[in-house]
Amino acid sequence: MTPLASYLLVAALLFAIGLGGALTRRSAILVLIGIELMLNAANLNLIAFWRYGPHPEALTGMMFAIFSIAVAAAEAAVGLGLVIAIYRHAQTTDVDKMNRMKG
Amino acid sequence: MSIPIFVISVLTVAGALAAMTLKNTIHCVLALTVAFAGVALLFLGLDAQFVGFAQILVYIGAVVILVVFAVLLTRSSETPEEGSHSRTWFTGLAISAGVFAVLGWAVLASVNGLPNETAAPDVNVHKIGNALMGRYVLPLEIVALLLTAATIGAVIVAMHEKARTK
């Protein structure tokens, strides 16, 4: 197996673990953590394709990964702010109990 | 795949698996740190030093700290008596297993068509800085705007409700 294929398999495994966590955990914080793991898997794919692709000196994949890390950080800040706001309102972070939009 | 990279991959996947299965939320966050550090080491192994150190700075330095703050502020470190996983956990597990099967099949089926340039790319921080300030300056400015908006938005969303009504 080529090195690129093994990196892609590791990234696929990370993505599947993150997706499974985001779908099965009760705590909203851990759902966000699952989404972060999926974003990390995508970054790993971008960097692996950049490293083994034809034109690494163009830096395209690396720039994609850098911007993706910045966007993921913004997403984490807003997401955790939302979790804290919901906790203050409903006294829970259990996504199974968040079943109405009216307060 | 060399042996160190294999060990790092196993550590990363084990950390991610622990972060998604452990009961105590604080333990989950600690396992998540291991997974993030493992991904950063994989970046270093892929000759992307800048992205690896950015990953350590942003994820381990900022995101994990934010998550720990959120866990402590919402007192969600105790396991709820109904369990830490949803009642429909089997469906979620089946969906993620299906997604992994499809992705793995796609990678293994196209393994001969994948590019395989073995020469290490000649990239240093100087070139990355030039690219960020030259060709990619517009995305950089948009990301700066996005981060400003996200900071203000996060503060406004998490602000105390009484303070907002004044």
Side-chain angles (χ1 to χ4, degrees):
Chain A
M1 204 188 318
T2 58
L4 176 57
S6 44
Y7 278 110
L8 293 185
L9 280 181
V10 171
L13 199 51
L14 264 184
F15 185 89
I17 292 171
L19 181 67
L23 289 176
T24 58
R25 293 305 296 236
R26 274 173 184 275
S27 162
I29 295 171
L30 285 161
V31 172
L32 270 174
I33 286 180
I35 294 170
E36 293 293 327
L37 278 176
M38 288 194 271
L39 282 165
N40 259 289
N43 281 344
L44 190 55
N45 264 6
L46 290 173
I47 292 290
F49 273 115
W50 166 78
R51 169 66 178 78
Y52 294 105
H55 291 292
E57 70 280 354
L59 290 173
T60 321
M62 190 182 255
M63 288 299 150
F64 246 107
I66 290 171
F67 289 123
S68 153
I69 287 176
V71 173
E75 175 258 329
V78 176
L80 292 171
L82 282 173
V83 170
I84 289 174
I86 289 174
Y87 176 77
R88 190 173 291 136
H89 199 77
Q91 299 296 317
T92 180
T93 57
D94 189 339
V95 284
D96 279 0
K97 287 182 188 149
M98 295 175 197
N99 48 12
R100 50 182 190 169
M101 294 181 84
K102 196 165 172 243
Chain B
M1 187 181 257
S2 57
I3 292 169
I5 297 293
F6 179 75
V7 172
I8 293 168
S9 307
V10 170
L11 261 180
T12 309
V13 171
L17 211 56
M20 292 288 100
T21 50
L22 287 179
K23 283 206 161 62
N24 188 319
T25 314
I26 295 287
H27 295 170
C28 292
V29 177
L30 290 177
L32 177 78
T33 315
V34 174
F36 282 162
V39 173
L41 289 175
L42 287 178
F43 286 161
L44 294 183
L46 282 164
D47 297 313
Q49 284 86 1
F50 183 77
V51 182
F53 289 121
Q55 164 96 4
I56 292 177
L57 275 177
V58 173
Y59 277 99
I60 302 176
V63 171
V64 169
I65 300 295
L66 257 178
V67 171
V68 170
F69 264 105
V71 169
L72 296 181
L73 282 174
T74 58
R75 279 190 229 133
S76 52
S77 55
E78 311 109 45
T79 320
E81 57 268 23
E82 312 96 49
S84 56
H85 289 75
S86 161
R87 264 171 285 117
T88 53
W89 62 272
F90 188 77
T91 320
L93 200 67
I95 291 173
S96 65
V99 167
F100 176 66
V102 170
L103 288 175
W105 169 77
V107 170
L108 291 179
S110 61
V111 78
N112 293 321
L114 290 173
N116 189 20
E117 307 276 325
T118 43
D122 175 31
V123 171
N124 48 31
V125 182
H126 187 241
K127 282 183 185 164
I128 296 171
N130 268 336
L132 273 177
M133 282 295 143
R135 194 172 160 208
Y136 299 98
V137 70
L138 188 63
L140 185 75
E141 295 297 325
I142 294 173
V143 162
L145 194 65
L146 173 83
L147 285 176
T148 314
T151 315
I152 297 171
V155 169
I156 288 176
V157 162
M159 203 159 51
H160 206 279
E161 282 181 30
K162 276 178 197 155
R164 212 185 305 167
T165 50
K166 259 177 202 168

